[in-house]
Amino acid sequence: MNALIAAMPAIIVVLSFGIAVLFMAGTRYAVYLLVDHRGGTQAVASDDFVLPTLPMRMLWPLGRTLVLLSVLTIGAGIVLWRFIYGIGSVTNLSNAFPWGIWIGFDVMSGVALAAGAFVIAATAHILRMERFEPLVRPAILTGLLGYLLVVAGLLVDLGRPYNVWRPLVHWQIHSPLWEVGCCVATYTTVLFIEFLPVILERVNHFKPVTSRLPTVSLYKLLRRVGIVFVVLGVVLSTLHQSSLGSLWVLVPTKLHPLWYTIYLPVFFWISAVAVGLAMTIVESTLSSKAFKRGLELPLLAALGKAAAVVLCIYLAAKAADLVARGAWPLLFQPSLEAAAYWTEIGLGVIVPAILFMLPGVRQRPWLLFTAAMMVVVFGIVMNRLNVSLTGLLAYTGLIYTPAWTEIAVSVALVTLGVIAFGLIAKYLPVFPDENEHHA
Amino acid sequence: MKPTRIADGSNGSLTRRDFLKRVGAGVAAAMAAHAVAGAVHTAHASEGVTEDTPAVLIDLTRCIGCNSCALACKAENNLPNPESAPTGLSNEAFTFVSTIQLETPEGETLTRHAKRQCMHCLNPACVSACPAAAMYRSPEGPIVYRAERCLGCRYCQIACPFDVPAFDWGNPLTPVISKCWLCRDRLNAGEQPACVAACPTGALRFGTRRQLLAQAHALIASNPDRYVDHVFGEHEVGGTSMLYVSDIPFAELGFPADLPHSAPPEETAKVMEALPAVILGMGALAAGTATYTHRRSAAHDTPHARHGAAEPPPADASTSEREEL
Ligand code: SF4
Ligand code: SF4
């Protein structure tokens, strides 16, 4: 048991990696599986980018289906178990360590990874850089699914999920969690409204519907007032992305000084913008593979450039804070925390920022993708896990490692999101019609 | 130049629409900010707390570790296993008596006992954390819990600097948070908390915080050789209603050391009070930028855009859709 506990940091990194690999492999193969890829052109993009080939590739389609189905079934079984025998029966949580990866990964990382929706929508519609238009719908879909999964994960983690609506009624203005709850609920609705035109475009194909329901006028209305929801989305995202950091401002005696600062909300917000850009690169690259579409490389390169700027601001702000608080010497003391901090900042901020700055990197899809993946895995997932798990270990003692059942539920949630993305992108006009451009 | 997909094939009533947008965003932001600003001001859980709040003084030099208090608590609150003395806080025990063995410099072994429970903070982190006011300060003073509002989010557990709230990990659908509520109903009936009433040695004293602080300092002053000069709870995390005096430094007895004298909720308040400004600022920035860029792009694009959007908006929206993927 002690050996297991000592392996904590390794487990966290492996977990992050595992989920990243699953995300890559999952998107690639789930979508490949789900989307009708017979017929149509097999010619892929004009680049030489090949995703890491996994043994899964060798499996026959039935095998892939079985893998996906068993991941989902196991996850569903564990959730069922939790609702019969309690949260303690499927987690390693205790009164001394009440939040695990269902909060640290599913909620804290999940919300950040869904930030692409507000970042890209703001770029295209508020800054009005219209060339980014092709990226908006996929980003909003990713965001909407991300938030729905966050809510789903939260409902499993809450002890009394049927009371989840109460923050909306009993205002607790001093509670960051109240604010997160209200904003996530509102913003998920806003994302749905932002995505609604995509659904309506498909619905409006059907005369029986359009002649009976005002879907056409609704569509036109949404198009006209869409900008209001974009602005609302930016404000709501700013509020709750940052408030996820404020959650930890309440525990000055528990969180390690490398992470504890009153500026946590600011850092959470800046890094959410950075990962919003990075996730869009990741998601676009994977979709272009899965759907055999062209890659909007110039757009993604521009996002990479922007990400470099944001990452540099993030790095400078974090460094300034460490110096101002006098906590920087802790960086050079050998400790679990220092190692975790260096990994997070080195592999998740510094290296990708440098990569994004190099024109040679921005012209190569696979390097661009790698840099973006580093921001996602180390810069965000590891940072959020550091704040919510690693940074508490010095206070609590090494008393928590995620149970396999906790990991399995998180993995099932990600898988669910990937499959949903594939299905929705198949049946709804999420991606721009390439013929339109080439015609 | 083709009009983009989502871009609202504008150019027509730009001014009016922009105006409405601006007004709409501005009004929404102002309303939200006003609501937040007003509420933040009245939100401090320590608001209205006086030194006359009910309190308990625990004199560790008098505690013999008999567990009468812990068993009386179980009986009073109908907790499970009423016969067995608890060894920690849990959903089966709101209080317990810890036993600490200490080595004196002379090599003797000293035994001390310390009753532990919720400290009933003056500005409690658990109340500040709770998103639904399931944890709240009762008008009488004790920090109490009502299950019917609780989400089971366990943020109160994260927040509490003394790790007091306990969750029911084996209950699938109706778990509750368990913690001492200072027998509020007994207080209302004019009685002492059950633990205080059960203590046979006078180690527990009930009174107002003002009285008990005075008594604690008087005790220390009259026995300076016996007591350490520290009333635990006088200043810790902004002050608590449970106060301790001891002949051994508290850190050696397992009490959290180096607690700040400011309450943790004061840290979050700094952040939360910035919200109105963030809402207004972000809202104004986003709405303002949108208005500016839309106008500029309209002015800039007009000749082309007019050309591009020359086709009237399709009568049937379906024709404006893109075809199959
Ligand atoms: S000791 Fe903990 S549970 Fe008790 S009032 Fe203070 S913060 Fe709340
Ligand atoms: S677990 Fe219940 S009492 Fe504790 S913070 Fe959450 S809602 Fe409030």
Side-chain angles (χ1 to χ4, degrees):
Chain A
M1 190 59 198
N2 272 343
L4 192 69
I5 285 167
M8 179 77 191
I11 290 172
I12 291 181
V13 173
V14 168
L15 176 77
S16 319
F17 260 127
I19 295 198
V21 168
L22 190 104
F23 191 90
M24 293 194 294
T27 323
R28 176 77 170 84
Y29 295 106
V31 166
Y32 173 79
L33 172 77
L34 290 164
V35 173
D36 184 8
H37 52 276
R38 285 161 305 183
T41 167
Q42 289 294 313
V44 196
S46 55
D47 60 80
D48 56 351
F49 173 54
V50 179
L51 275 167
T53 321
L54 290 168
M56 249 200 263
R57 167 133 221 192
M58 266 84 91
L59 297 178
W60 55 99
L62 181 65
R64 284 195 296 257
T65 316
L66 283 179
V67 169
L68 288 175
L69 276 182
S70 43
V71 167
L72 293 183
T73 316
I74 292 171
I78 296 167
V79 169
L80 189 67
W81 192 274
R82 172 254 173 273
F83 280 109
I84 296 175
Y85 297 105
I87 297 175
S89 66
V90 291
T91 66
N92 284 345
L93 299 174
S94 61
N95 288 332
F97 213 100
W99 281 0
I101 59 163
W102 286 353
I103 295 294
F105 178 77
D106 299 4
V107 176
M108 302 237 308
S109 307
V111 167
L113 297 185
F118 94 89
V119 175
I120 299 300
T123 309
H125 295 158
I126 292 183
L127 299 179
R128 211 166 166 85
M129 301 183 179
E130 291 175 0
R131 64 201 174 107
F132 289 100
E133 198 61 55
L135 302 181
V136 170
R137 287 183 171 194
I140 290 196
L141 177 57
T142 311
L144 177 59
L145 291 172
Y147 276 88
L148 289 174
L149 292 175
V150 165
V151 173
L154 190 65
L155 290 178
V156 177
D157 186 77
L158 285 182
R160 307 165 70 95
Y162 42 84
N163 278 345
V164 70
W165 53 272
R166 287 195 179 265
L168 292 169
V169 181
H170 313 296
W171 280 37
Q172 293 298 299
I173 202 74
H174 44 72
S175 166
L177 191 60
W178 167 81
E179 205 232 283
V180 170
C182 289
C183 283
V184 166
T186 322
Y187 184 50
T188 309
T189 314
V190 166
L191 275 174
F192 180 74
I193 294 171
E194 286 189 73
F195 191 68
L196 202 52
V198 184
I199 303 174
L200 290 179
E201 270 181 21
R202 180 57 27 115
V203 169
N204 286 345
H205 262 313
F206 302 111
K207 276 267 152 26
V209 179
T210 49
S211 57
R212 279 193 190 82
L213 298 171
T215 52
V216 172
S217 39
L218 177 61
Y219 176 80
K220 287 180 184 158
L221 176 75
L222 285 175
R223 280 270 182 117
R224 204 166 319 131
V225 299
I227 186 71
V228 172
F229 291 100
V230 176
V231 170
L232 202 56
V234 169
V235 175
L236 289 169
S237 294
T238 303
L239 288 179
H240 70 267
Q241 293 285 2
S242 60
S243 284
L244 282 171
S246 312
L247 285 181
W248 303 95
V249 172
L250 191 53
V251 292
T253 61
K254 298 188 179 183
L255 184 57
H256 192 276
L258 277 176
W259 290 282
Y260 182 85
T261 161
I262 191 129
Y263 292 107
L264 264 177
V266 179
F267 297 155
F268 269 49
W269 184 78
I270 302 178
S271 57
V273 173
V275 82
L277 298 165
M279 267 305 275
T280 308
I281 296 175
V282 169
E283 169 260 303
S284 300
T285 311
L286 293 174
S287 312
S288 90
K289 293 291 131 186
F291 293 100
K292 310 215 177 303
R293 304 180 54 255
L295 188 66
E296 292 102 346
L297 188 56
L299 292 186
L300 301 191
L303 293 185
K305 214 173 183 175
V309 175
V310 179
L311 287 173
C312 287
I313 296 173
Y314 180 56
L315 186 65
K318 283 196 80 142
D321 174 63
L322 276 182
V323 172
R325 288 187 295 116
W328 62 271
L330 292 171
L331 282 175
F332 304 100
Q333 290 166 11
S335 68
L336 165 63
E337 288 82 10
Y341 195 93
W342 278 114
T343 316
E344 167 201 327
I345 291 296
L347 295 181
V349 180
I350 298 175
V351 173
I354 294 172
L355 287 175
F356 279 139
M357 273 186 256
L358 304 172
V361 170
R362 293 203 301 270
Q363 280 150 21
R364 288 184 182 75
W366 68 275
L367 278 175
L368 199 58
F369 177 82
T370 308
M373 253 344 250
M374 292 179 89
V375 177
V376 169
V377 174
F378 296 105
I380 295 301
V381 175
M382 188 159 178
N383 168 261
R384 300 308 193 253
L385 290 176
N386 278 346
V387 171
S388 60
L389 308 182
T390 321
L392 297 178
L393 292 179
Y395 172 83
T396 61
L398 299 168
I399 54 167
Y400 171 77
T401 45
W404 74 267
T405 36
E406 289 174 70
I407 298 172
V409 169
S410 296
V411 169
L413 281 175
V414 176
T415 311
L416 195 62
V418 170
I419 293 177
F421 188 95
L423 285 175
I424 293 173
K426 179 187 174 187
Y427 289 111
L428 296 180
V430 171
F431 291 107
D433 187 352
E434 300 201 315
N435 299 329
E436 195 176 278
H437 293 296
H438 301 157
Chain B
M1 191 194 231
K2 269 182 101 63
T4 45
R5 238 182 329 116
I6 293 181
D8 38 298
S10 48
N11 309 321
S13 52
L14 247 176
T15 331
R16 193 191 52 167
R17 195 162 55 242
D18 281 348
F19 177 71
L20 288 180
K21 267 177 231 151
R22 230 178 333 172
V23 169
V27 167
M31 273 167 48
H34 185 254
V36 172
V40 162
H41 259 82
T42 54
H44 265 296
S46 58
E47 195 118 314
V49 177
T50 69
E51 290 295 298
D52 293 321
T53 191
V56 173
L57 175 60
I58 303 176
D59 185 342
L60 296 185
T61 66
R62 293 197 181 205
C63 178
I64 55 171
C66 67
N67 272 305
S68 305
C69 53
L71 295 179
C73 174
K74 282 194 163 191
E76 173 70 24
N77 294 295
N78 294 316
L79 295 172
N81 300 320
E83 304 302 325
S84 72
T87 54
L89 300 180
S90 70
N91 55 328
E92 298 192 349
F94 297 170
T95 184
F96 78 108
V97 179
S98 71
T99 300
I100 308 103
Q101 309 276 0
L102 295 156
E103 287 278 313
T104 62
E106 296 83 47
E108 293 169 62
T109 307
L110 272 183
T111 303
R112 286 293 176 272
H113 305 281
K115 176 187 183 300
R116 304 294 295 270
Q117 71 296 305
C118 168
M119 299 291 288
H120 295 280
C121 307
L122 300 186
N123 188 355
C126 59
V127 171
S128 155
C130 184
M135 200 69 88
Y136 67 107
R137 174 185 295 287
S138 59
E140 301 84 355
I143 310 305
V144 299
Y145 167 80
R146 50 188 157 189
E148 69 276 11
R149 282 207 182 181
C150 177
L151 284 66
C153 67
R154 314 188 293 284
Y155 188 34
C156 51
Q157 294 192 288
I158 296 277
C160 173
F162 301 98
D163 296 318
V164 166
F167 185 70
D168 187 356
W169 297 96
N171 185 326
L173 291 174
T174 55
V176 294
I177 293 288
S178 303
K179 78 167 200 62
C180 161
W181 60 314
L182 209 58
C183 295
R184 186 196 53 189
D185 288 355
R186 286 176 64 106
L187 303 194
N188 282 340
E191 292 174 78
Q192 297 188 332
C195 54
V196 177
C199 180
T201 67
L204 308 180
R205 285 188 222 176
F206 179 71
T208 69
R209 190 169 189 270
R210 190 196 309 277
Q211 293 166 348
L212 295 178
L213 264 181
Q215 289 183 22
H217 284 295
L219 265 179
I220 294 172
S222 55
N223 300 284
D225 303 333
R226 183 178 169 105
Y227 291 101
V228 291
D229 188 14
H230 181 185
V231 181
F232 189 90
E234 181 174 14
H235 300 300
E236 275 75 10
V237 292
T240 66
S241 304
M242 306 302 280
L243 303 164
Y244 289 83
V245 289
S246 165
D247 56 345
I248 309 273
F250 289 98
E252 291 174 39
L253 297 175
F255 285 72
D258 302 327
L259 285 176
H261 286 186
S262 68
E266 284 170 25
E267 304 301 314
T268 7
K270 290 179 202 156
V271 177
M272 300 303 283
E273 276 166 12
L275 284 186
V278 170
I279 295 173
L280 263 186
M282 246 317 159
L285 186 69
T289 313
T291 311
Y292 171 74
T293 54
H294 277 241
R295 203 174 272 156
R296 192 188 55 174
S297 94
H300 180 75
D301 282 356
T302 301
H304 306 281
R306 284 233 180 277
H307 180 70
E311 319 123 69
D316 177 356
S318 66
T319 55
S320 73
E321 284 161 31
R322 292 161 314 97
E323 288 306 307
E324 294 291 318
L325 273 174

